[in-house]
Amino acid sequence: MLALLVTPRLVTGQAAETARSVVLFVGDGVDDHQLTIARNYLLGADGVFVFETFEHQAAAKVLTVLEADPRVPEYVGDSASGGTAIAAGVVTSRGRIATRAGTGEPVPTLLELAAGAGKRTGIVTTSSVTDATPASFVAHIGGRFCEGPSDMLPTPTDPRCPDDLKARGGAGSIAEQLAVSGVDVLLGGGYEHFDQPDEAGVSVLRRAREAGYRIVRGPAGLREAEGDSGPILGLFGDGTLPVEWVGEGGSRARPVQVTAAGQVIAPEPFRCMENPDFGSRPTLEAMTRSALTRLESAPTGFFLMVESASIDKQAHRGDPCGQIGETRALDQAVRVAVAFQERHPDTLILVASDHGHAAQIVPWPSLFAMRRSDAQYPPGKVARLRTLEGGLMAVSYGTNTHYLEEHTGTQVPVYAQGPGAAAVRGLIRQSDLFRIVRRALALE
Amino acid sequence: MLALLVTPRLVTGQAAETARSVVLFVGDGVDDHQLTIARNYLLGADGVFVFETFEHQAAAKVLTVLEADPRVPEYVGDSASGGTAIAAGVVTSRGRIATRAGTGEPVPTLLELAAGAGKRTGIVTTSSVTDATPASFVAHIGGRFCEGPSDMLPTPTDPRCPDDLKARGGAGSIAEQLAVSGVDVLLGGGYEHFDQPDEAGVSVLRRAREAGYRIVRGPAGLREAEGDSGPILGLFGDGTLPVEWVGEGGSRARPVQVTAAGQVIAPEPFRCMENPDFGSRPTLEAMTRSALTRLESAPTGFFLMVESASIDKQAHRGDPCGQIGETRALDQAVRVAVAFQERHPDTLILVASDHGHAAQIVPWPSLFAMRRSDAQYPPGKVARLRTLEGGLMAVSYGTNTHYLEEHTGTQVPVYAQGPGAAAVRGLIRQSDLFRIVRRALALE
């Protein structure tokens, strides 16, 4: 009797741990601080994103090593090393796409393992589909910037990827690898990396068509392709797709001005608005919905990676509205997956990040403005946002004086819901996500 | 039979939710970034602090409002508003100690509710016991800087607390309130705030003695007092206690130098070392052990708050070794509580934070150093630390150009273990910790 009572519970427990499909979101550059900035603006200080309601949450350590000596840790990663940790479960050096630091040995990715197990696969991103995060799931190459055939040869400041040239027995650029990858759904930007001749003088677009891809470039093409279940390559922009939101009048963070008399001139507060240049392109939400519609009928489930890429890219630019709008886009795309999961409870949803970023909420005026007679202000760029709840939020970017802001080395949050999600708890390594998904999908 | 099998499980579940005692740690200024900095240095990038192994973890929103209009959110808090949220469950304005924004109405604290329910109480801190975090659990006053009787009158830059003067029917300064609080164990710094005459010309120390406190000022006094179970006021320094660690040769972050030719001169890397000026004072670990020993025999349990205060204070100074050493002190004090919990499983342990802080791990050299010919470096102060695992970690402080670094507005982590800990999950408000502890201790 005891055995009878216990056994079904164990069986149920095991069954619940196996997922048929996985939707893995990557918020590029998301950390606790970037999330708080976006939450304060969009939902108010007491708001909550849909993924923040997920039952299982963890913090992930971002581990990276030096290329020159992979025994030595590097304390700040990038989308290539972070993407590779998540996609392939290995700690590698910055810039590497699903290859080991030092040796360049390719390592199998979750997407490849899922495909090998008969699952369908998909990649959705607001960057070029050849950018570091999506590439980490599909390609294997020494340098993230080798996006198309013309990017392979060394430049004065970047060794690029001469060893990956097909003439040297390599697999070619990231676009060339994607063109023959067999990934069922590839949606994002990056047309310019495909519209190039390869080493044999054949355009990568043609290679993709020869491999069976239907190539679409706008929402109409995406809709027309709905009747067709074959592989699709949607390229909705030349490079990174435009962001959904911008600051009023293009406002972003700028250096604080101080008068000769020591008076701090605060940057004028502004609000965020829809980007007039977004055009008719599909949003991340629309691309996610389209991908899930195409993958829903997969006989044995699927693996889909969805990236909101420009949280990172706009943080680099010191553009809080850009990063807030793209965090909103992430939340909306996750809502689509949650609705899908309600219909298909055997779906595991994960929301992860590859590395931290520069923006910090700072007091304005300074905590010390009243106590000190000298000027008190941050040394970097500052934006003051009028939030939707009527507050005034000052965001400081203080990591690079003259150019783009830098990634930071903080641990990053992870959210999970669905079968296999319970392993997302406490403090994990980014690379544990590979093992968690592999186990959830029973891949080997 | 089914009922018999099910009922004991339910009863156990309910019983497990009630804690006899609570040890609440506050890491002042702790956020994901400050934790990662300390972990990388102390334990290596793949290390783990003891509280990071706790079964229940959450992120807490730091909610603060404007004093002038408490309907309007402020996006960066301080130790007073954060301490009050945790201690008393209300969202207040910066600087307020267990009083409501706008009105100044006092709000009951967890420590007071626990005392009212017959539990013993304790406060341990590396700051003055009159500083904002400990004060938030014991005192009620409009301004955090009213630590002693001489701090009550307005200054040109701070209105201070004239309405809280005893002559005006108030409860007096924080030290005066502590002296008659009846808190069983008060250990920390802040002798200078007690060694002052009150409005009647009587020293606050004498008031404390009259109220039954045994006053000790060193480790010998603390040891001697072990045989005595009466109230103890341990004041081991005039103000904030010295920190356990400093940078080699006093090194901390400093502005990056750039030559006329645009060459970036990196600050010299350094290691952390024990602070030669720490002296024979009890460490946070020793004070925590002493407090738990005194409180262990409490007939109906206790409420103990333990603060590692100088994670914040050293982050303000741009001193990474200071903040790393004090995070180590927090971890060591938590270990003492975990050992206590092993003997007393009816103890709930929480580790919380009041607000985020300035330090960020940045890449060194810049991510763009190779791609750009102009100098790439952070605009604020930078320290480069040689970690114990042999890496080089660059820490940037970029929130204030001329004076102390600022608090930041990020959400902060919470860790919990023991009866009642399961409520610590997902995204909560800082003020939810008040309700979680109140429920765990069955207080009303």
Side-chain angles (χ1 to χ4, degrees):
Chain A
M1 184 66 184
L2 187 62
L4 266 176
L5 276 170
V6 168
T7 310
R9 217 173 126 224
L10 281 177
V11 169
T12 311
Q14 283 175 341
E17 291 304 293
T18 302
R20 185 170 184 272
S21 303
V22 167
V23 188
L24 168 62
F25 289 88
V26 177
D28 202 305
V30 162
D31 60 28
D32 273 14
H33 222 136
Q34 317 311 309
L35 276 182
T36 307
I37 291 167
R39 188 193 308 117
N40 284 347
Y41 188 88
L42 294 165
L43 311 171
D46 200 20
V48 55
F49 288 115
V50 66
F51 47 86
E52 291 175 327
T53 68
F54 283 8
E55 192 176 347
H56 303 286
Q57 306 189 13
K61 297 181 273 196
V62 177
L63 305 180
T64 315
V65 292
L66 294 178
E67 175 68 13
D69 184 352
R71 295 166 303 183
V72 179
E74 176 102 277
Y75 295 110
V76 180
D78 75 346
S79 294
S81 58
T84 296
I86 299 169
V90 303
V91 175
T92 193
S93 59
R94 287 202 303 246
R96 281 207 166 274
I97 302 293
T99 50
R100 284 189 195 278
T103 66
E105 182 197 346
V107 278
T109 74
L110 286 172
L111 186 143
E112 292 165 340
L113 293 173
K119 292 186 188 291
R120 296 184 73 185
T121 57
I123 294 286
V124 168
T125 181
T126 52
S127 67
S128 296
V129 293
T130 49
D131 202 22
T133 305
S136 296
F137 289 82
V138 189
H140 304 273
I141 198 162
R144 60 178 289 180
F145 295 114
C146 299
E147 294 184 67
S150 67
D151 306 314
M152 299 291 284
L153 296 175
T155 72
T157 59
D158 189 337
R160 299 298 169 103
C161 317
D163 296 341
D164 295 287
L165 285 167
K166 286 183 171 171
R168 294 210 195 161
S173 66
I174 294 167
E176 291 165 273
Q177 295 188 41
L178 291 181
V180 297
S181 65
V183 174
D184 297 284
V185 182
L186 281 165
L187 304 178
Y191 183 82
E192 66 189 2
H193 304 296
F194 289 85
D195 187 23
Q196 294 182 7
D198 66 9
E199 291 168 57
V202 178
S203 113
V204 185
L205 282 173
R206 185 170 151 194
R207 296 287 189 197
R209 275 196 206 95
E210 285 172 358
Y213 276 104
R214 175 168 182 159
I215 297 166
V216 300
R217 299 196 60 195
L222 192 59
R223 272 195 305 278
E224 278 166 29
E226 276 172 14
D228 153 20
S229 67
I232 187 169
L233 173 59
L235 298 169
F236 306 111
D238 278 342
T240 303
L241 299 183
V243 292
E244 295 193 20
W245 281 16
V246 294
E248 283 176 322
S251 297
R252 45 184 170 139
R254 59 182 178 77
V256 173
Q257 303 296 313
V258 186
T259 67
Q263 196 194 345
V264 176
I265 309 287
E268 275 305 302
F270 58 90
R271 289 195 171 81
C272 303
M273 55 178 276
E274 285 186 15
N275 179 6
D277 297 332
F278 187 78
S280 62
R281 292 172 184 83
T283 60
L284 187 66
E285 179 187 17
M287 290 192 289
T288 303
R289 185 173 286 117
S290 175
L292 286 171
T293 302
R294 296 186 79 85
L295 296 170
E296 189 162 13
S297 61
T300 56
F302 60 83
F303 174 86
L304 172 64
M305 192 289 292
V306 178
E307 182 199 22
S308 183
S310 290
I311 301 169
D312 163 82
K313 294 178 198 301
Q314 297 299 309
H316 278 306
R317 292 179 69 238
D319 188 334
C321 288
Q323 62 178 99
I324 289 166
E326 298 307 291
T327 308
R328 177 174 168 272
L330 172 67
D331 195 49
Q332 290 179 328
V334 173
R335 285 174 194 276
V336 172
V338 168
F340 181 91
Q341 189 187 46
E342 281 167 13
R343 298 197 306 279
H344 301 284
D346 50 3
T347 307
L348 169 62
I349 304 176
L350 291 139
V351 181
S353 166
D354 47 0
H355 55 74
H357 227 298
Q360 295 179 303
I361 306 166
V362 294
W364 197 278
S366 160
L367 292 175
F368 312 107
M370 297 296 292
R371 276 201 264 162
R372 302 277 299 184
S373 57
D374 53 340
Q376 301 293 318
Y377 57 93
K381 303 171 200 81
V382 172
R384 294 198 300 160
L385 295 178
R386 289 199 195 285
T387 62
L388 299 181
E389 65 181 335
L392 196 61
M393 172 170 63
V395 179
S396 161
Y397 295 82
T399 61
N400 191 312
T401 307
H402 299 300
Y403 186 54
L404 298 175
E405 298 296 327
E406 311 276 347
H407 300 166
T408 66
T410 183
Q411 64 195 50
V412 292
V414 188
Y415 308 85
Q417 181 162 285
V424 172
R425 58 191 299 276
L427 181 66
I428 63 176
R429 302 179 190 99
Q430 239 175 5
S431 53
D432 290 334
L433 294 174
F434 170 81
R435 279 169 278 282
I436 288 167
V437 172
R438 191 176 58 176
R439 195 171 303 129
L441 287 176
L443 301 172
E444 207 53 60
Chain B
M1 183 66 184
L2 188 63
L4 267 176
L5 277 169
V6 168
T7 309
R9 219 176 125 218
L10 282 176
V11 170
T12 312
Q14 283 172 342
E17 291 303 295
T18 301
R20 185 171 186 274
S21 303
V22 167
V23 188
L24 168 62
F25 289 89
V26 176
D28 202 305
V30 160
D31 61 27
D32 272 15
H33 222 135
Q34 316 312 310
L35 277 182
T36 307
I37 292 167
R39 187 193 309 118
N40 283 346
Y41 189 88
L42 293 164
L43 311 170
D46 200 20
V48 56
F49 288 115
V50 67
F51 47 86
E52 291 175 327
T53 68
F54 282 8
E55 193 177 347
H56 302 284
Q57 305 189 13
K61 296 180 275 196
V62 177
L63 304 181
T64 315
V65 291
L66 294 177
E67 175 67 12
D69 185 351
R71 294 167 303 181
V72 178
E74 176 103 276
Y75 295 110
V76 180
D78 76 343
S79 294
S81 57
T84 296
I86 299 169
V90 303
V91 175
T92 194
S93 59
R94 289 201 303 244
R96 281 208 166 276
I97 300 294
T99 50
R100 286 190 195 276
T103 66
E105 181 197 344
V107 278
T109 73
L110 285 171
L111 186 143
E112 291 165 342
L113 294 172
K119 294 186 187 289
R120 297 185 71 187
T121 58
I123 294 285
V124 169
T125 180
T126 52
S127 66
S128 295
V129 294
T130 50
D131 200 23
T133 306
S136 297
F137 288 83
V138 190
H140 305 271
I141 198 162
R144 60 178 289 183
F145 296 113
C146 300
E147 294 183 67
S150 67
D151 306 314
M152 299 291 284
L153 295 174
T155 72
T157 60
D158 189 336
R160 297 299 170 99
C161 316
D163 295 341
D164 296 287
L165 285 167
K166 286 183 171 170
R168 296 214 193 156
S173 66
I174 294 167
E176 290 165 273
Q177 295 188 42
L178 291 181
V180 297
S181 65
V183 174
D184 298 282
V185 182
L186 281 165
L187 304 178
Y191 183 82
E192 65 190 1
H193 304 295
F194 290 85
D195 187 22
Q196 295 182 8
D198 65 11
E199 293 167 56
V202 178
S203 111
V204 186
L205 281 173
R206 186 170 148 196
R207 296 284 189 198
R209 274 194 207 94
E210 285 170 0
Y213 277 103
R214 174 168 185 158
I215 296 166
V216 301
R217 299 198 57 198
L222 192 58
R223 270 194 307 277
E224 278 166 28
E226 276 171 16
D228 154 19
S229 68
I232 186 169
L233 173 59
L235 298 168
F236 306 111
D238 279 340
T240 303
L241 300 182
V243 293
E244 295 194 21
W245 281 17
V246 294
E248 283 176 322
S251 298
R252 45 183 169 137
R254 58 181 178 79
V256 173
Q257 303 297 313
V258 184
T259 65
Q263 198 195 344
V264 176
I265 309 288
E268 277 303 302
F270 58 90
R271 288 196 172 79
C272 303
M273 55 178 275
E274 286 184 14
N275 179 6
D277 297 332
F278 186 79
S280 64
R281 292 173 184 82
T283 60
L284 187 66
E285 178 187 17
M287 290 193 288
T288 302
R289 184 173 286 117
S290 175
L292 285 171
T293 302
R294 295 185 81 85
L295 296 170
E296 189 162 14
S297 61
T300 57
F302 60 84
F303 173 86
L304 172 64
M305 193 288 294
V306 178
E307 182 199 25
S308 182
S310 290
I311 301 170
D312 165 82
K313 294 178 197 300
Q314 296 300 308
H316 278 306
R317 293 180 68 239
D319 188 334
C321 287
Q323 63 178 99
I324 289 167
E326 297 307 291
T327 309
R328 176 173 169 271
L330 173 65
D331 194 51
Q332 290 178 330
V334 173
R335 285 172 194 277
V336 171
V338 168
F340 181 90
Q341 189 186 45
E342 281 167 13
R343 298 197 307 280
H344 302 284
D346 49 4
T347 307
L348 169 63
I349 304 176
L350 289 139
V351 181
S353 167
D354 47 1
H355 55 76
H357 228 296
Q360 295 179 302
I361 307 166
V362 294
W364 198 277
S366 159
L367 293 175
F368 312 108
M370 296 296 289
R371 279 201 263 162
R372 302 276 301 185
S373 57
D374 53 339
Q376 301 294 317
Y377 57 92
K381 304 172 199 79
V382 173
R384 294 196 302 160
L385 295 178
R386 288 198 194 286
T387 62
L388 299 180
E389 64 182 335
L392 195 61
M393 174 169 61
V395 179
S396 161
Y397 295 82
T399 62
N400 191 310
T401 308
H402 299 299
Y403 186 53
L404 298 175
E405 299 296 327
E406 311 276 347
H407 301 165
T408 67
T410 184
Q411 64 195 49
V412 292
V414 187
Y415 307 85
Q417 182 164 283
V424 173
R425 58 192 300 276
L427 181 66
I428 63 176
R429 302 180 190 98
Q430 237 173 7
S431 53
D432 289 334
L433 294 174
F434 170 80
R435 281 169 275 281
I436 288 167
V437 171
R438 192 177 56 176
R439 195 170 305 130
L441 287 177
L443 301 173
E444 209 55 56

